[in-house]
Amino acid sequence: MPNRDAQAIEGPSWVACPTVNLTPTMSSALIIARVLFGALTLTAIVIQFTRHFSAGFPLLNFFSYFTILSNGIAGAVLLIGAYLGMQKRVLPLWYDRARGTAVLYMTIVGLVFVTLLRNVDLGGLLPWINTVHHYVLPVVMVADWLLVPPMRPPTSRDLLAFYVFPLAYVLYTLLRGAMIDWYPYPFLNPSLVGGYGTVMLYGLGMLTTFGVVGWALRAATFRGARGRT
């Protein structure tokens, strides 16, 4: 007969899995922290969007930043987690898959900013919003994942699913950039980095980073699951 414990850990991908209890009951402090940080990053997005709109910049450009999209996902994940905790409801498996997505994306946001964008002119981005989006939220999401890991670690198929959006984002950015001659990040602009060959090298480096970070999060979750057995 198949090993049920193995199935619980290495079950089907996040799209098809049933609802299970993934984490212990969240403490009041965790719920409050998720509300505060979730509201903080979403508020920062709204404020920056208002400044962007008031300055007459194209609206689609604002939502073409991976940082904005990732922080939006992270903020929603934190608030949903807080709500489920307050309701003392069983956490559905899709929620921890969404959490995994948010943690992975925010980790990449932090790493890419520190390594490639820290000394780049950020234009009209308010300093405190820059701090929240590029420093605070990446740390918060990783800490949330490590302190309250899901009961079932992400599978290999989960990790592949996490990579779909970033790949689609890069393709969208390059195609749109070629049409309108605007890129949200200098390392994706062929005219600034010496052509598409260099852009591909940057893309390969980021893809590798996604892979390493994803597997590191998976390994950390395995250790957390073993600790609860």
Side-chain angles (χ1 to χ4, degrees), residues 108 110-118:
I108 297 302
L111 291 175
V112 169
F113 182 81
V114 169
T115 57
L116 298 177
L117 299 172
R118 184 173 52 184

Side-chain angles (χ1 to χ4, degrees), residues 34-45 79 128 132-133 136-137:
R34 284 178 170 175
V35 170
L36 290 178
F37 285 113
L40 176 63
T41 191
L42 293 179
T43 299
I45 290 174
L79 293 180
W128 73 268
V132 169
H133 284 173
V136 176
L137 254 293

Side-chain angles (χ1 to χ4, degrees), residues 21-27 30 85 89 91 147-151 228:
N21 188 7
L22 295 177
T23 61
T25 302
M26 289 186 292
S27 67
L30 177 63
R89 292 175 55 183
L91 293 178
L147 291 173
V148 191
M151 193 67 73
R228 291 191 295 267

Side-chain angles (χ1 to χ4, degrees), residues 13-212:
S13 68
W14 64 277
V15 175
C17 278
T19 299
V20 296
N21 188 7
L22 295 177
T23 61
T25 302
M26 289 186 292
S27 67
S28 297
L30 177 63
I31 293 172
I32 292 172
R34 284 178 170 175
V35 170
L36 290 178
F37 285 113
L40 176 63
T41 191
L42 293 179
T43 299
I45 290 174
V46 172
I47 292 174
Q48 192 61 40
F49 173 79
T50 302
R51 289 174 55 85
H52 188 99
F53 179 79
S54 300
F57 295 123
L59 298 185
L60 188 55
N61 284 7
F62 180 80
F63 293 103
S64 293
Y65 287 95
F66 191 79
T67 295
I68 294 296
L69 300 174
S70 298
N71 273 270
I73 293 171
V77 164
L78 289 173
L79 293 180
I80 292 172
Y83 171 77
L84 294 174
M86 287 187 289
Q87 297 295 314
K88 298 186 182 301
R89 292 175 55 183
V90 172
L91 293 178
L93 189 54
W94 64 259
Y95 172 73
D96 270 300
R97 293 301 158 260
R99 258 182 89 205
T101 300
V103 174
L104 177 59
Y105 295 175
M106 288 306 304
T107 303
I108 297 302
V109 165
L111 291 175
V112 169
F113 182 81
V114 169
T115 57
L116 298 177
L117 299 172
R118 184 173 52 184
N119 298 318
V120 172
D121 181 10
L122 301 177
L125 181 63
L126 293 174
W128 73 268
I129 293 180
N130 173 50
T131 299
V132 169
H133 284 173
H134 292 122
Y135 294 102
V136 176
L137 254 293
V139 173
V140 166
M141 296 308 295
V142 172
D144 183 84
W145 182 264
L146 296 178
L147 291 173
V148 191
M151 193 67 73
R152 170 183 169 274
T155 66
S156 299
R157 286 195 295 174
D158 292 333
L159 295 180
L160 290 176
F162 295 165
Y163 303 149
V164 171
F165 174 69
L167 288 174
Y169 171 81
V170 171
L171 290 176
Y172 156 79
T173 299
L174 293 178
L175 290 174
R176 184 170 183 262
M179 291 187 291
I180 68 172
D181 194 27
W182 180 86
Y183 298 83
Y185 301 106
F187 55 82
L188 293 178
N189 188 339
S191 64
L192 294 181
V193 297
Y196 283 99
T198 307
V199 171
M200 290 180 64
L201 290 177
Y202 276 114
L204 180 60
M206 286 187 288
L207 181 61
T208 302
T209 305
F210 265 101
V212 171

